[in-house]
Amino acid sequence: MAASPPVPVVTIDGPSGSGKGTVSRELARHVGWHLLDSGALYRLVALSGVRAGLRPDDVAAHTALARTMAVQFDDDGRGGERIRLDGAEVTRELRSEAAGQGASRVAAWPPVRAALLERQRAFAEPPGLVADGRDMGTVVFPEAALKIYLTASAEERALRRYKQLKEKGSDANLAALSREIAERDQRDSTRAVAPLRPAPDARIVDSTGMSVAEVVDVVLSAGRAQGLWG
Ligand code: DC
């Protein structure tokens, strides 16, 4: 049997609040490709740990959960995702800042990252994949056809998160969010394994002052120039 051709992958990496989640979702919908929200997987590991009553520093038990937890991503029919963990819907809980902090903590552990590697690669199915995260272009999909590193000023990122949380009806405090984003940036970019940084062949897009539609257009043009879509 002939080997099937590799599935094209576009990676969108960047720090918290850079807009990569929204941009990735819009892009995937626009071109009809699958979406990998890799941050959600790290959030799910942290949440599974809390639900299982694990000690927050128990690396081995969190690693086992990273391998075995049952996760399901569906379209919520309103332009977002619906995420289930072991059958129960956790979408909203997963978006909380507490889940983000937990994710950033477990994401610094090499065995957890290793346990999630093949799970993430399995998302690459025809006709293509848009992969959103921190190390999509550097570690998980180093052969990706197009790599984007999306960033924005720290102030703008905190403000975007603030608006996002408010829109979802959650409590939010701008000063606290700015502090948490700075802490998370620091932890994600200084960890020993797969730190947040652009792949050498990534195209850096600073989205400060740009709308989601403008950023999606930049990525669409870049992909078109490479013949990834029409
Ligand atoms: O993108 P997000 O906010 O949902 O990610 C939550 C945390 O997970 C983030 O602080 C760092 C970690 N993460 C990671 O280490 N590697 C990824 N590919 C995605 C997320």
Side-chain angles (χ1 to χ4, degrees):
M1 207 172 77
S4 26
V7 174
V9 177
V10 171
T11 58
I12 305 196
D13 289 305
S16 307
S18 58
K20 63 197 161 48
T22 316
V23 166
S24 301
R25 205 178 321 111
E26 291 281 311
L27 177 69
R29 181 157 347 103
H30 199 96
V31 299
W33 285 13
H34 298 281
L35 174 69
L36 165 60
D37 173 359
S38 63
L41 290 175
Y42 289 96
R43 288 169 185 261
L44 284 159
V45 172
L47 183 62
S48 301
V50 170
R51 293 198 161 181
L54 299 186
R55 284 218 335 254
D57 60 352
D58 189 337
V59 179
H62 281 87
T63 304
L65 287 177
R67 276 199 211 97
T68 57
M69 62 183 184
V71 303
Q72 197 186 331
F73 292 86
D74 297 301
D75 206 310
D76 70 358
R78 286 174 284 120
E81 302 173 283
R82 177 177 296 125
I83 305 174
R84 290 196 183 87
L85 171 62
D86 297 322
E89 173 154 8
V90 292
T91 317
R92 185 149 167 200
E93 203 174 343
L94 221 52
R95 290 290 146 228
S96 70
E97 211 36 47
Q101 290 291 341
S104 168
R105 203 169 32 75
V106 301
W109 298 334
V112 167
R113 302 200 72 84
L116 290 181
L117 200 56
E118 286 314 314
R119 276 190 105 136
Q120 295 175 88
R121 289 184 177 150
F123 279 76
E125 287 200 63
L129 178 71
V130 178
D132 153 14
R134 303 290 191 290
D135 62 342
M136 298 294 99
T138 50
V139 176
V140 183
F141 300 108
E143 309 296 334
L146 174 63
K147 300 180 184 179
I148 303 289
Y149 187 85
L150 191 59
T151 185
S153 70
E155 297 73 29
E156 181 147 334
R157 291 188 285 122
L159 197 60
R160 285 179 189 170
R161 263 285 145 92
Y162 176 80
K163 287 186 185 156
Q164 223 175 33
L165 288 169
K166 282 284 184 196
E167 271 165 24
K168 289 183 179 149
S170 305
D171 262 351
N173 171 306
L174 187 56
L177 274 177
S178 303
R179 242 187 345 264
E180 283 163 4
I181 280 192
E183 258 173 45
R184 203 126 72 87
D185 281 357
Q186 167 76 9
R187 195 186 303 127
D188 293 346
S189 53
T190 57
R191 69 181 175 220
V193 183
L196 169 67
R197 68 174 56 129
D201 49 348
R203 175 171 175 156
I204 299 184
V205 177
D206 184 342
S207 72
T208 310
M210 284 171 83
S211 68
V212 169
E214 284 169 334
V215 179
V216 172
D217 271 349
V218 168
V219 184
L220 278 172
S221 307
R224 206 170 291 123
Q226 276 181 239
L228 288 176
W229 43 68

